[in-house]
Amino acid sequence: MKQKTEQEAYLTLAALCAQAEHCQWEMLEKMRRWELSEEAQARVMERLTKERFVDDERYARAFVKDKVRYNKWGRRKVEQALWQKHIDEDIRQQVLDEVDDEEYLSVLRPLLKQKRRSTKAGSDYELNQKLIRFALGRGFTYDIIRQCIDVDEES
């Protein structure tokens, strides 16, 4: 990849951030690939943050909303993805705590209903185990999964 000057890096990253939310870690990774010096990276990041192109808390809120609503991920999977993006622990916890259990339930119920129809099992116990494994793989917590499965069994 072609080396960029500090100004070119700033303009490229500012344009990227104007189109979509990005976190600091993503910006730093891009600058590392462009072989920008550590000092130049720090100056560009400071400028992007000061001018509010990059805001990890805003990024985390958008990320969580998208992953829960559109990708149908549970809390654990979203939390792990934020950790991989190097989002601070306090920001992760704060943003994840803003999503109430009801939202996770409203995402998981239809998922489990659909999965229940397409899953073959010899008994209800086996079916429930498969559904639980499926939901755990999607990152939902066991208590949320139990609530959905218990409701489905009653109806």
Side-chain angles (χ1 to χ4, degrees), residues 10 13-14 44-54:
Y10 169 75
L13 295 177
V44 170
M45 272 315 303
E46 186 181 331
R47 193 168 164 198
L48 288 170
T49 306
K50 193 176 81 189
E51 295 173 8
R52 299 202 27 89
F53 280 111
V54 174

Side-chain angles (χ1 to χ4, degrees), residues 6-55:
E6 189 174 327
Q7 183 62 18
E8 287 173 335
Y10 169 75
L11 292 172
T12 304
L13 295 177
L16 261 176
C17 290
Q19 294 169 359
E21 287 293 338
H22 292 281
C23 63
Q24 286 186 26
W25 181 78
E26 291 172 336
M27 300 295 100
L28 289 170
E29 280 300 299
K30 286 190 181 304
M31 287 189 280
R32 271 187 220 113
R33 283 196 304 254
W34 296 333
E35 298 171 4
L36 228 59
S37 71
E38 297 272 328
E39 300 81 36
Q41 287 180 34
R43 287 191 297 271
V44 170
M45 272 315 303
E46 186 181 331
R47 193 168 164 198
L48 288 170
T49 306
K50 193 176 81 189
E51 295 173 8
R52 299 202 27 89
F53 280 111
V54 174
D55 181 343

Side-chain angles (χ1 to χ4, degrees), residues 44-98:
V44 170
M45 272 315 303
E46 186 181 331
R47 193 168 164 198
L48 288 170
T49 306
K50 193 176 81 189
E51 295 173 8
R52 299 202 27 89
F53 280 111
V54 174
D55 181 343
D56 278 355
E57 190 172 330
R58 188 179 64 213
Y59 170 82
R61 276 200 176 82
F63 186 86
V64 168
K65 189 174 85 175
D66 285 355
K67 294 303 177 190
V68 171
R69 289 192 184 145
Y70 304 116
N71 294 37
K72 309 215 181 303
W73 285 6
R75 180 185 173 101
R76 309 277 303 151
K77 192 166 184 170
V78 173
E79 188 172 13
Q80 185 177 17
L82 287 173
W83 176 81
Q84 287 176 323
K85 299 263 186 193
H86 299 265
I87 303 294
D88 282 342
E89 172 73 19
D90 348 338
I91 294 175
R92 283 199 315 257
Q93 290 312 315
Q94 177 190 343
V95 170
L96 285 166
D97 289 344
E98 289 172 6

Side-chain angles (χ1 to χ4, degrees), residues 108 111-112 115 129-139:
L108 184 57
L111 263 180
L112 286 178
K115 187 71 175 171
Q129 292 307 307
K130 288 181 176 185
L131 292 175
I132 289 169
R133 253 193 320 275
F134 166 75
L136 285 171
R138 280 296 185 108

Side-chain angles (χ1 to χ4, degrees), residues 3-4 9 16 18 23 40 57 62 71 77 109 119-120 144:
Q3 260 189 306
K4 289 186 183 269
L16 261 176
C23 63
E57 190 172 330
N71 294 37
K77 192 166 184 170
R109 277 190 188 111
T119 304
K120 291 176 179 25
I144 298 280

